[in-house]
């Protein structure tokens, strides 16, 4: 069972927000995927009052997320919804100009990562933004010894999980009209990657 409180989310929420202030300055609606305990959703919604923050989680984890968000309401924090990358039905009614996800790409399996890029690519309007936070490899290498150890811990637990390489993500992103715009180094060997949705004419030219 997932813990109801994440110390990591508490530690990283401020450095992430520092970047989101600029990245999301013109965003109006943010869909968060894999919101976990909801600590990020509550904190970011209260600090970014110009937009609506929509948290989401797998159906079996929704009750915990709901309870966290309902205890710390803000006007611009939408009621959390059930959303599974693997379930087509969930995605039909969703609209957002920005998508955010933290610490999910190394948990989900590679085919799910690819599916996520497909979903985000078709959901976002031209110029929309996809922000992904977590540990990432660069040019086939770990960026730290602690990330290498974390990756081996992940794979012992679930062989199909693991830290993703930015090069592989770029390939999947480009296939879906998304281009890496920002690659920020973050505390504790994490990164914040921001992918911009291209206008459809630019996508045709890029493929
Ligand atoms: C390590 S937790 C990160 C939680 C939170 N974003 C944070 O940074 O604290 C990974 C999250 O991904 C979610 N997740 C796993 N598989 C998923 C899927 N197929 N669709 C949507 N979310 C998924 C899990 O339920 C979990 O909450």
């Amino acid at each position: 069972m997932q813990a109801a409180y994440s110390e990591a989310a508490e530690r990283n929420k401020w450095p992430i927000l520092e970047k989101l202030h600029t990245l999301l300055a013109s965003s109006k609606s943010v869909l968060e995927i894999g919101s976990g305990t909801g600590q990020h959703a509550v904190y970011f919604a209260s600090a970014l009052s110009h937009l609506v923050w929509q948290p989401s989680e797998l159906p079996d984890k929704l009750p915990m997320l709901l309870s966290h968000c309902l205890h710390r309401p803000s006007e611009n924090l939408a009621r959390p919804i059930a959303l599974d990358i693997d379930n087509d039905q969930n995605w039909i009614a969703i609209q957002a100009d920005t998508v955010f996800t933290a610490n999910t790409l190394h948990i989900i399996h590679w085919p799910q990562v690819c599916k996520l890029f497909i979903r985000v690519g078709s959901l976002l309007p031209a110029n929309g933004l996809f922000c992904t936070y977590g540990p990432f490899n660069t040019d086939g290498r770990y960026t730290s010894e602690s990330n290498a150890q974390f990756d081996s811990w992940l794979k012992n637990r679930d062989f199909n999980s693991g830290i993703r390489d930015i090069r592989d993500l770029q390939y999947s992103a480009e296939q879906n009209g998304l281009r890496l715009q920002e690659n920020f180094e973050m505390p504790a060997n994490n990164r914040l990657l921001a992918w911009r949705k291209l206008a459809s004419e630019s996508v045709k030219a890029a493929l």
Side-chain angles (χ1 to χ4, degrees), residues 109-136:
H109 298 177
W110 180 250
Q112 294 175 306
V113 174
C114 296
K115 200 178 269 183
L116 178 59
F117 273 99
I118 294 171
R119 294 205 186 283
V120 174
S122 58
L123 171 78
L124 287 180
N127 219 29
L129 200 64
F130 181 29
C131 298
T132 55
Y133 171 86
F136 297 101

PDB file of all heavy atoms in Angstrom, residues 109-136:
ATOM      1  N   HIS A 109       6.244   0.931 -16.788  1.00  0.00           N
ATOM      2  CA  HIS A 109       7.065   0.156 -17.727  1.00  0.00           C
ATOM      3  C   HIS A 109       7.254   0.941 -19.026  1.00  0.00           C
ATOM      4  O   HIS A 109       6.471   1.847 -19.322  1.00  0.00           O
ATOM      5  CB  HIS A 109       6.389  -1.187 -17.990  1.00  0.00           C
ATOM      6  CG  HIS A 109       6.261  -2.010 -16.743  1.00  0.00           C
ATOM      7  ND1 HIS A 109       5.633  -3.234 -16.702  1.00  0.00           N
ATOM      8  CD2 HIS A 109       6.706  -1.774 -15.460  1.00  0.00           C
ATOM      9  CE1 HIS A 109       5.697  -3.720 -15.473  1.00  0.00           C
ATOM     10  NE2 HIS A 109       6.323  -2.853 -14.702  1.00  0.00           N
ATOM     11  N   TRP A 110       8.277   0.591 -19.795  1.00  0.00           N
ATOM     12  CA  TRP A 110       8.601   1.366 -21.000  1.00  0.00           C
ATOM     13  C   TRP A 110       7.409   1.489 -21.963  1.00  0.00           C
ATOM     14  O   TRP A 110       7.139   2.593 -22.464  1.00  0.00           O
ATOM     15  CB  TRP A 110       9.852   0.820 -21.682  1.00  0.00           C
ATOM     16  CG  TRP A 110      10.177   1.608 -22.917  1.00  0.00           C
ATOM     17  CD1 TRP A 110      10.086   1.213 -24.214  1.00  0.00           C
ATOM     18  CD2 TRP A 110      10.590   2.991 -22.951  1.00  0.00           C
ATOM     19  NE1 TRP A 110      10.421   2.240 -25.063  1.00  0.00           N
ATOM     20  CE2 TRP A 110      10.732   3.348 -24.315  1.00  0.00           C
ATOM     21  CE3 TRP A 110      10.847   3.956 -21.965  1.00  0.00           C
ATOM     22  CZ2 TRP A 110      11.130   4.621 -24.710  1.00  0.00           C
ATOM     23  CZ3 TRP A 110      11.240   5.232 -22.377  1.00  0.00           C
ATOM     24  CH2 TRP A 110      11.374   5.548 -23.729  1.00  0.00           C
ATOM     25  N   PRO A 111       6.635   0.406 -22.236  1.00  0.00           N
ATOM     26  CA  PRO A 111       5.476   0.589 -23.137  1.00  0.00           C
ATOM     27  C   PRO A 111       4.477   1.613 -22.582  1.00  0.00           C
ATOM     28  O   PRO A 111       3.823   2.324 -23.350  1.00  0.00           O
ATOM     29  CB  PRO A 111       4.841  -0.809 -23.200  1.00  0.00           C
ATOM     30  CG  PRO A 111       5.953  -1.742 -22.842  1.00  0.00           C
ATOM     31  CD  PRO A 111       6.815  -1.013 -21.864  1.00  0.00           C
ATOM     32  N   GLN A 112       4.393   1.709 -21.248  1.00  0.00           N
ATOM     33  CA  GLN A 112       3.503   2.718 -20.646  1.00  0.00           C
ATOM     34  C   GLN A 112       4.077   4.123 -20.808  1.00  0.00           C
ATOM     35  O   GLN A 112       3.328   5.085 -20.991  1.00  0.00           O
ATOM     36  CB  GLN A 112       3.286   2.418 -19.155  1.00  0.00           C
ATOM     37  CG  GLN A 112       2.518   1.136 -18.901  1.00  0.00           C
ATOM     38  CD  GLN A 112       2.444   0.812 -17.419  1.00  0.00           C
ATOM     39  OE1 GLN A 112       3.465   0.751 -16.740  1.00  0.00           O
ATOM     40  NE2 GLN A 112       1.249   0.611 -16.919  1.00  0.00           N
ATOM     41  N   VAL A 113       5.402   4.224 -20.741  1.00  0.00           N
ATOM     42  CA  VAL A 113       6.038   5.537 -20.973  1.00  0.00           C
ATOM     43  C   VAL A 113       5.688   6.000 -22.388  1.00  0.00           C
ATOM     44  O   VAL A 113       5.287   7.152 -22.607  1.00  0.00           O
ATOM     45  CB  VAL A 113       7.574   5.458 -20.785  1.00  0.00           C
ATOM     46  CG1 VAL A 113       8.229   6.784 -21.173  1.00  0.00           C
ATOM     47  CG2 VAL A 113       7.938   5.076 -19.362  1.00  0.00           C
ATOM     48  N   CYS A 114       5.809   5.065 -23.351  1.00  0.00           N
ATOM     49  CA  CYS A 114       5.510   5.422 -24.752  1.00  0.00           C
ATOM     50  C   CYS A 114       4.034   5.802 -24.894  1.00  0.00           C
ATOM     51  O   CYS A 114       3.695   6.776 -25.586  1.00  0.00           O
ATOM     52  CB  CYS A 114       5.833   4.250 -25.688  1.00  0.00           C
ATOM     53  SG  CYS A 114       7.595   3.870 -25.685  1.00  0.00           S
ATOM     54  N   LYS A 115       3.174   5.035 -24.217  1.00  0.00           N
ATOM     55  CA  LYS A 115       1.736   5.342 -24.288  1.00  0.00           C
ATOM     56  C   LYS A 115       1.452   6.724 -23.681  1.00  0.00           C
ATOM     57  O   LYS A 115       0.625   7.479 -24.181  1.00  0.00           O
ATOM     58  CB  LYS A 115       0.954   4.261 -23.546  1.00  0.00           C
ATOM     59  CG  LYS A 115      -0.497   4.194 -23.946  1.00  0.00           C
ATOM     60  CD  LYS A 115      -1.223   3.089 -23.231  1.00  0.00           C
ATOM     61  CE  LYS A 115      -1.201   1.785 -23.998  1.00  0.00           C
ATOM     62  NZ  LYS A 115      -1.973   0.736 -23.312  1.00  0.00           N
ATOM     63  N   LEU A 116       2.163   7.033 -22.605  1.00  0.00           N
ATOM     64  CA  LEU A 116       1.975   8.337 -21.962  1.00  0.00           C
ATOM     65  C   LEU A 116       2.327   9.466 -22.932  1.00  0.00           C
ATOM     66  O   LEU A 116       1.591  10.460 -23.039  1.00  0.00           O
ATOM     67  CB  LEU A 116       2.838   8.415 -20.695  1.00  0.00           C
ATOM     68  CG  LEU A 116       2.791   9.731 -19.921  1.00  0.00           C
ATOM     69  CD1 LEU A 116       1.372  10.064 -19.477  1.00  0.00           C
ATOM     70  CD2 LEU A 116       3.714   9.664 -18.701  1.00  0.00           C
ATOM     71  N   PHE A 117       3.428   9.316 -23.662  1.00  0.00           N
ATOM     72  CA  PHE A 117       3.795  10.353 -24.634  1.00  0.00           C
ATOM     73  C   PHE A 117       2.745  10.453 -25.744  1.00  0.00           C
ATOM     74  O   PHE A 117       2.444  11.553 -26.228  1.00  0.00           O
ATOM     75  CB  PHE A 117       5.192  10.106 -25.205  1.00  0.00           C
ATOM     76  CG  PHE A 117       6.284  10.710 -24.352  1.00  0.00           C
ATOM     77  CD1 PHE A 117       7.005   9.933 -23.462  1.00  0.00           C
ATOM     78  CD2 PHE A 117       6.569  12.071 -24.418  1.00  0.00           C
ATOM     79  CE1 PHE A 117       7.996  10.495 -22.661  1.00  0.00           C
ATOM     80  CE2 PHE A 117       7.554  12.644 -23.624  1.00  0.00           C
ATOM     81  CZ  PHE A 117       8.272  11.848 -22.738  1.00  0.00           C
ATOM     82  N   ILE A 118       2.173   9.296 -26.139  1.00  0.00           N
ATOM     83  CA  ILE A 118       1.115   9.347 -27.161  1.00  0.00           C
ATOM     84  C   ILE A 118      -0.085  10.119 -26.613  1.00  0.00           C
ATOM     85  O   ILE A 118      -0.625  11.017 -27.261  1.00  0.00           O
ATOM     86  CB  ILE A 118       0.674   7.918 -27.572  1.00  0.00           C
ATOM     87  CG1 ILE A 118       1.819   7.196 -28.273  1.00  0.00           C
ATOM     88  CG2 ILE A 118      -0.589   7.958 -28.437  1.00  0.00           C
ATOM     89  CD1 ILE A 118       1.572   5.717 -28.539  1.00  0.00           C
ATOM     90  N   ARG A 119      -0.480   9.784 -25.377  1.00  0.00           N
ATOM     91  CA  ARG A 119      -1.665  10.430 -24.788  1.00  0.00           C
ATOM     92  C   ARG A 119      -1.434  11.933 -24.619  1.00  0.00           C
ATOM     93  O   ARG A 119      -2.284  12.743 -24.963  1.00  0.00           O
ATOM     94  CB  ARG A 119      -1.976   9.811 -23.425  1.00  0.00           C
ATOM     95  CG  ARG A 119      -2.402   8.350 -23.516  1.00  0.00           C
ATOM     96  CD  ARG A 119      -3.253   7.991 -22.330  1.00  0.00           C
ATOM     97  NE  ARG A 119      -3.580   6.578 -22.283  1.00  0.00           N
ATOM     98  CZ  ARG A 119      -4.496   5.983 -23.033  1.00  0.00           C
ATOM     99  NH1 ARG A 119      -5.170   6.678 -23.924  1.00  0.00           N
ATOM    100  NH2 ARG A 119      -4.748   4.693 -22.893  1.00  0.00           N
ATOM    101  N   VAL A 120      -0.275  12.292 -24.087  1.00  0.00           N
ATOM    102  CA  VAL A 120       0.005  13.712 -23.849  1.00  0.00           C
ATOM    103  C   VAL A 120       0.115  14.448 -25.179  1.00  0.00           C
ATOM    104  O   VAL A 120      -0.398  15.561 -25.333  1.00  0.00           O
ATOM    105  CB  VAL A 120       1.275  13.881 -22.984  1.00  0.00           C
ATOM    106  CG1 VAL A 120       1.661  15.352 -22.865  1.00  0.00           C
ATOM    107  CG2 VAL A 120       1.056  13.280 -21.607  1.00  0.00           C
ATOM    108  N   GLY A 121       0.745  13.806 -26.157  1.00  0.00           N
ATOM    109  CA  GLY A 121       0.875  14.437 -27.482  1.00  0.00           C
ATOM    110  C   GLY A 121      -0.474  14.716 -28.112  1.00  0.00           C
ATOM    111  O   GLY A 121      -0.652  15.731 -28.783  1.00  0.00           O
ATOM    112  N   SER A 122      -1.446  13.815 -27.906  1.00  0.00           N
ATOM    113  CA  SER A 122      -2.740  14.082 -28.552  1.00  0.00           C
ATOM    114  C   SER A 122      -3.632  14.975 -27.681  1.00  0.00           C
ATOM    115  O   SER A 122      -4.537  15.641 -28.190  1.00  0.00           O
ATOM    116  CB  SER A 122      -3.460  12.788 -28.951  1.00  0.00           C
ATOM    117  OG  SER A 122      -3.643  12.001 -27.839  1.00  0.00           O
ATOM    118  N   LEU A 123      -3.375  15.011 -26.391  1.00  0.00           N
ATOM    119  CA  LEU A 123      -4.176  15.841 -25.483  1.00  0.00           C
ATOM    120  C   LEU A 123      -3.819  17.329 -25.567  1.00  0.00           C
ATOM    121  O   LEU A 123      -4.700  18.195 -25.565  1.00  0.00           O
ATOM    122  CB  LEU A 123      -3.928  15.333 -24.051  1.00  0.00           C
ATOM    123  CG  LEU A 123      -4.454  16.137 -22.879  1.00  0.00           C
ATOM    124  CD1 LEU A 123      -5.942  15.875 -22.724  1.00  0.00           C
ATOM    125  CD2 LEU A 123      -3.750  15.744 -21.591  1.00  0.00           C
ATOM    126  N   LEU A 124      -2.528  17.617 -25.656  1.00  0.00           N
ATOM    127  CA  LEU A 124      -2.093  19.018 -25.568  1.00  0.00           C
ATOM    128  C   LEU A 124      -2.373  19.795 -26.856  1.00  0.00           C
ATOM    129  O   LEU A 124      -2.188  19.271 -27.960  1.00  0.00           O
ATOM    130  CB  LEU A 124      -0.587  19.089 -25.290  1.00  0.00           C
ATOM    131  CG  LEU A 124      -0.129  18.722 -23.882  1.00  0.00           C
ATOM    132  CD1 LEU A 124       1.393  18.837 -23.785  1.00  0.00           C
ATOM    133  CD2 LEU A 124      -0.787  19.613 -22.833  1.00  0.00           C
ATOM    134  N   PRO A 125      -2.761  21.054 -26.710  1.00  0.00           N
ATOM    135  CA  PRO A 125      -2.857  21.919 -27.889  1.00  0.00           C
ATOM    136  C   PRO A 125      -1.458  22.354 -28.318  1.00  0.00           C
ATOM    137  O   PRO A 125      -0.493  22.170 -27.562  1.00  0.00           O
ATOM    138  CB  PRO A 125      -3.649  23.125 -27.356  1.00  0.00           C
ATOM    139  CG  PRO A 125      -3.310  23.178 -25.901  1.00  0.00           C
ATOM    140  CD  PRO A 125      -3.071  21.749 -25.461  1.00  0.00           C
ATOM    141  N   ALA A 126      -1.358  22.932 -29.512  1.00  0.00           N
ATOM    142  CA  ALA A 126      -0.063  23.461 -29.962  1.00  0.00           C
ATOM    143  C   ALA A 126       0.460  24.414 -28.896  1.00  0.00           C
ATOM    144  O   ALA A 126      -0.305  25.198 -28.326  1.00  0.00           O
ATOM    145  CB  ALA A 126      -0.240  24.195 -31.279  1.00  0.00           C
ATOM    146  N   ASN A 127       1.753  24.305 -28.605  1.00  0.00           N
ATOM    147  CA  ASN A 127       2.400  25.144 -27.603  1.00  0.00           C
ATOM    148  C   ASN A 127       2.155  24.692 -26.154  1.00  0.00           C
ATOM    149  O   ASN A 127       2.657  25.306 -25.220  1.00  0.00           O
ATOM    150  CB  ASN A 127       1.982  26.612 -27.760  1.00  0.00           C
ATOM    151  CG  ASN A 127       3.154  27.516 -27.505  1.00  0.00           C
ATOM    152  OD1 ASN A 127       4.298  27.131 -27.744  1.00  0.00           O
ATOM    153  ND2 ASN A 127       2.892  28.709 -26.993  1.00  0.00           N
ATOM    154  N   GLY A 128       1.338  23.629 -25.972  1.00  0.00           N
ATOM    155  CA  GLY A 128       1.124  23.089 -24.626  1.00  0.00           C
ATOM    156  C   GLY A 128       2.420  22.525 -24.063  1.00  0.00           C
ATOM    157  O   GLY A 128       3.380  22.276 -24.805  1.00  0.00           O
ATOM    158  N   LEU A 129       2.444  22.316 -22.736  1.00  0.00           N
ATOM    159  CA  LEU A 129       3.685  21.929 -22.068  1.00  0.00           C
ATOM    160  C   LEU A 129       3.510  20.633 -21.281  1.00  0.00           C
ATOM    161  O   LEU A 129       2.472  20.428 -20.641  1.00  0.00           O
ATOM    162  CB  LEU A 129       4.081  23.061 -21.105  1.00  0.00           C
ATOM    163  CG  LEU A 129       5.520  23.130 -20.662  1.00  0.00           C
ATOM    164  CD1 LEU A 129       6.446  23.401 -21.842  1.00  0.00           C
ATOM    165  CD2 LEU A 129       5.701  24.216 -19.597  1.00  0.00           C
ATOM    166  N   PHE A 130       4.519  19.772 -21.331  1.00  0.00           N
ATOM    167  CA  PHE A 130       4.530  18.523 -20.565  1.00  0.00           C
ATOM    168  C   PHE A 130       5.771  18.558 -19.671  1.00  0.00           C
ATOM    169  O   PHE A 130       6.907  18.538 -20.169  1.00  0.00           O
ATOM    170  CB  PHE A 130       4.586  17.337 -21.537  1.00  0.00           C
ATOM    171  CG  PHE A 130       4.583  15.976 -20.891  1.00  0.00           C
ATOM    172  CD1 PHE A 130       3.968  15.755 -19.659  1.00  0.00           C
ATOM    173  CD2 PHE A 130       5.170  14.886 -21.533  1.00  0.00           C
ATOM    174  CE1 PHE A 130       3.947  14.485 -19.072  1.00  0.00           C
ATOM    175  CE2 PHE A 130       5.162  13.618 -20.960  1.00  0.00           C
ATOM    176  CZ  PHE A 130       4.548  13.413 -19.724  1.00  0.00           C
ATOM    177  N   CYS A 131       5.564  18.617 -18.343  1.00  0.00           N
ATOM    178  CA  CYS A 131       6.683  18.689 -17.402  1.00  0.00           C
ATOM    179  C   CYS A 131       6.858  17.344 -16.714  1.00  0.00           C
ATOM    180  O   CYS A 131       5.906  16.813 -16.136  1.00  0.00           O
ATOM    181  CB  CYS A 131       6.423  19.748 -16.338  1.00  0.00           C
ATOM    182  SG  CYS A 131       6.257  21.398 -17.004  1.00  0.00           S
ATOM    183  N   THR A 132       8.066  16.807 -16.782  1.00  0.00           N
ATOM    184  CA  THR A 132       8.352  15.513 -16.169  1.00  0.00           C
ATOM    185  C   THR A 132       9.509  15.693 -15.193  1.00  0.00           C
ATOM    186  O   THR A 132      10.592  16.153 -15.577  1.00  0.00           O
ATOM    187  CB  THR A 132       8.723  14.462 -17.244  1.00  0.00           C
ATOM    188  OG1 THR A 132       9.808  14.960 -18.040  1.00  0.00           O
ATOM    189  CG2 THR A 132       7.561  14.161 -18.160  1.00  0.00           C
ATOM    190  N   TYR A 133       9.266  15.318 -13.922  1.00  0.00           N
ATOM    191  CA  TYR A 133      10.296  15.471 -12.879  1.00  0.00           C
ATOM    192  C   TYR A 133      10.731  14.095 -12.388  1.00  0.00           C
ATOM    193  O   TYR A 133       9.902  13.181 -12.265  1.00  0.00           O
ATOM    194  CB  TYR A 133       9.721  16.270 -11.700  1.00  0.00           C
ATOM    195  CG  TYR A 133      10.635  16.275 -10.509  1.00  0.00           C
ATOM    196  CD1 TYR A 133      11.652  17.220 -10.380  1.00  0.00           C
ATOM    197  CD2 TYR A 133      10.509  15.297  -9.509  1.00  0.00           C
ATOM    198  CE1 TYR A 133      12.520  17.199  -9.300  1.00  0.00           C
ATOM    199  CE2 TYR A 133      11.373  15.274  -8.423  1.00  0.00           C
ATOM    200  CZ  TYR A 133      12.371  16.228  -8.325  1.00  0.00           C
ATOM    201  OH  TYR A 133      13.228  16.203  -7.248  1.00  0.00           O
ATOM    202  N   GLY A 134      12.013  13.962 -12.095  1.00  0.00           N
ATOM    203  CA  GLY A 134      12.503  12.710 -11.516  1.00  0.00           C
ATOM    204  C   GLY A 134      13.958  12.489 -11.873  1.00  0.00           C
ATOM    205  O   GLY A 134      14.622  13.379 -12.404  1.00  0.00           O
ATOM    206  N   PRO A 135      14.478  11.287 -11.597  1.00  0.00           N
ATOM    207  CA  PRO A 135      15.848  10.962 -12.008  1.00  0.00           C
ATOM    208  C   PRO A 135      15.855  10.523 -13.469  1.00  0.00           C
ATOM    209  O   PRO A 135      14.964   9.772 -13.894  1.00  0.00           O
ATOM    210  CB  PRO A 135      16.216   9.791 -11.085  1.00  0.00           C
ATOM    211  CG  PRO A 135      14.914   9.122 -10.776  1.00  0.00           C
ATOM    212  CD  PRO A 135      13.842  10.173 -10.855  1.00  0.00           C
ATOM    213  N   PHE A 136      16.818  10.989 -14.240  1.00  0.00           N
ATOM    214  CA  PHE A 136      16.928  10.591 -15.652  1.00  0.00           C
ATOM    215  C   PHE A 136      18.393  10.339 -15.977  1.00  0.00           C
ATOM    216  O   PHE A 136      19.278  10.986 -15.406  1.00  0.00           O
ATOM    217  CB  PHE A 136      16.372  11.684 -16.578  1.00  0.00           C
ATOM    218  CG  PHE A 136      14.904  11.936 -16.384  1.00  0.00           C
ATOM    219  CD1 PHE A 136      14.451  13.020 -15.639  1.00  0.00           C
ATOM    220  CD2 PHE A 136      13.958  11.070 -16.924  1.00  0.00           C
ATOM    221  CE1 PHE A 136      13.099  13.237 -15.428  1.00  0.00           C
ATOM    222  CE2 PHE A 136      12.596  11.279 -16.724  1.00  0.00           C
ATOM    223  CZ  PHE A 136      12.171  12.366 -15.980  1.00  0.00           C
TER     224      PHE A 136
END
